[in-house]
Amino acid sequence: FAWVTLTGLIFPYFGGVRTNFANRFDPIPVEANTESLTMGSQKGLPGLGTGSVDPEHIRRLITLKQFLDAILDSDETYLDASGRHAQYFYVGRRPPIETGSVYNLVAKGQQLRAISSLENNPPQAILIGADNILYDGGPLSFRSPLLYRYIMLQSNYMAVNVGGLYWLIDKSRLSRVPRSDIQRIAQLDDTLPSSIHKIVKITDVR
């Protein structure tokens, strides 16, 4: 039993055997440099939270929100056809259709329900160009052709470029847009040749 006696003498010297490891999962305090982080609340975008954000992304969101706040009433919303559906959350506007992402409207029934929603509550603004995200399904004209055609056939919209964002704006709301902010304004027309094609990036599939 000599080894038992030796163990009894040595273990207490080293603090004994620890059976409680709860403190091993406590957060390790470190110093973090937050000066380079963007606080959404300071940019008028509380939904953005706090984090490291591309300055160009911030610029686009600020331009987007300022424009929407200028042309829409507080209870109104817009249709985002740019593929950046998280922008609804960032700017505090609800999606006008059953899904925030037009990319997901691939079935005929989905597109017809979206069209019905837009007919019942026509959006005063449709965002068609904001450095669009193109997934494997291609642009809106390929992914959701019924919805795209419905939008293009609406005669109450004008194509407007404001701050690098491309919009279809209801003619009744153009007076809310400062003329100094408008970089380009044109009739909505997607027949070739048309600037609309460049915005939605229709691919030549021949």
Side-chain angles (χ1 to χ4, degrees):
F1 299 99
W3 64 272
V4 175
T5 304
L6 183 62
T7 301
L9 294 173
I10 295 176
F11 269 37
Y13 179 78
F14 289 102
V17 178
R18 299 188 180 188
T19 58
N20 184 1
F21 298 96
N23 63 337
R24 293 295 183 265
F25 299 97
D26 291 342
I28 300 175
V30 296
E31 293 186 4
N33 180 13
T34 60
E35 294 181 358
S36 61
L37 299 181
T38 298
M39 298 183 65
S41 58
Q42 294 181 354
K43 303 290 185 180
L45 299 164
L48 188 63
T50 301
S52 180
V53 187
D54 186 339
E56 180 59 25
H57 185 52
I58 291 292
R59 185 204 66 80
R60 183 179 62 253
L61 289 176
I62 292 176
T63 301
L64 173 66
K65 189 174 189 306
Q66 289 177 344
F67 183 79
L68 290 172
D69 290 346
I71 67 168
L72 299 182
D73 295 336
S74 59
D75 61 342
E76 293 179 322
T77 191
Y78 74 110
L79 175 65
D80 197 315
S82 70
R84 296 183 176 277
H85 38 276
Q87 293 179 149
Y88 285 117
F89 178 73
Y90 295 147
V91 301
R93 303 276 177 174
R94 58 177 177 77
I97 54 179
E98 64 185 45
T99 174
S101 173
V102 295
Y103 172 80
N104 291 327
L105 299 176
V106 293
K108 178 180 178 181
Q110 290 177 303
Q111 295 180 56
L112 292 179
R113 289 195 298 272
I115 291 172
S116 178
S117 296
L118 297 178
E119 287 178 335
N120 292 330
N121 294 286
Q124 302 299 313
I126 301 176
L127 180 63
I128 61 172
D131 189 19
N132 293 2
I133 297 179
L134 297 180
Y135 301 97
D136 57 343
L140 176 63
S141 55
F142 285 173
R143 188 74 174 179
S144 306
L146 299 179
L147 178 60
Y148 173 81
R149 179 51 47 194
Y150 170 79
I151 293 173
M152 290 298 115
L153 291 177
Q154 302 309 299
S155 60
N156 59 307
Y157 291 115
M158 295 287 289
V160 181
N161 177 358
V162 176
L165 302 182
Y166 295 88
W167 297 89
L168 302 182
I169 304 297
D170 189 280
K171 295 176 182 178
S172 66
R173 296 300 174 94
L174 286 176
S175 59
R176 298 191 184 188
V177 183
R179 287 291 172 179
S180 59
D181 292 347
I182 298 178
Q183 296 172 269
R184 178 182 172 83
I185 185 169
Q187 295 287 338
L188 175 58
D189 182 8
D190 74 333
T191 57
L192 289 171
S194 169
S195 59
I196 296 293
H197 290 171
K198 295 179 181 179
I199 296 170
V200 297
K201 296 183 174 63
I202 295 179
T203 308
D204 186 352
V205 295
R206 288 180 299 174

